[in-house]
Amino acid sequence: MIFNWIHIVIVHLTVIGTPWLAYRVFLHRKSPTDDKLWKDSYSGLIILAALSAIAYFTGPETADWAKQVLAPYPQDQVEDHALWGRIAFVIQVIAGLLGIMGWSSILQEEKPASFLSPLLLVLLVSNTFIVFYTAHLGGLIRRLDLMMGL
């Protein structure tokens, strides 16, 4: 049951963190990629990728717990949620790796590549919609009355 709570708490952090980082990247897209604002964003990307990994890998335990407490168990809904969660996780890991790339450039006293800003913006905005949809699907699992239109 502890994995269920970890999953639920961490997932909410990623649902909030992804659009927040997209907003930061949008605001600072024209700033030099080695300034303090970008350093904070690179760190945020790395942290969010780690949180996404925790959320993703606690998902199966949460599904097992849901199988015990929900009747009927919405297998199709759980599989859809898992699929979109996997897509969101992979995109977030790529964004986190770009954060590592930004930091490694700075640590080597080089300016991070200029393509990081537009690439991160596309990834994070896309992932915001995917994370929101995944969260919606997760909510439907817990609230079967919403899924059935009752």
Side-chain angles (χ1 to χ4, degrees), residues 15-26:
V15 169
I16 294 166
T18 303
W20 177 73
L21 280 168
Y23 176 71
R24 284 184 62 94
V25 168
F26 177 76

Side-chain angles (χ1 to χ4, degrees), residues 65-120:
W65 176 83
K67 195 177 280 190
Q68 294 173 3
V69 299
L70 295 178
Y73 181 70
Q75 184 68 39
D76 291 344
Q77 203 70 24
V78 170
E79 289 176 9
D80 287 346
H81 176 69
L83 171 65
W84 285 101
R86 185 175 307 115
I87 293 166
F89 167 63
V90 168
I91 293 171
Q92 205 62 57
V93 166
I94 293 168
L97 290 172
L98 291 173
I100 291 171
M101 185 175 149
W103 261 117
S104 64
S105 295
I106 290 168
L107 293 173
Q108 293 177 345
E109 298 179 5
E110 298 173 5
K111 188 171 183 169
S114 60
F115 68 81
L116 284 179
S117 175
L119 183 55
L120 283 169

Side-chain angles (χ1 to χ4, degrees), residues 24 31 42 46 50 54 58 60 64 70 78 83 115 125 134 139-140:
R24 284 184 62 94
S31 301
Y42 297 144
I46 296 164
I54 294 168
T58 56
D64 291 342
L70 295 178
V78 170
L83 171 65
F115 68 81
V125 169
T134 304
L140 291 178

Side-chain angles (χ1 to χ4, degrees), residues 9 11 20 39 48 50 66 120 149:
V9 169
V11 162
W20 177 73
K39 290 176 183 178
L48 194 58
L120 283 169

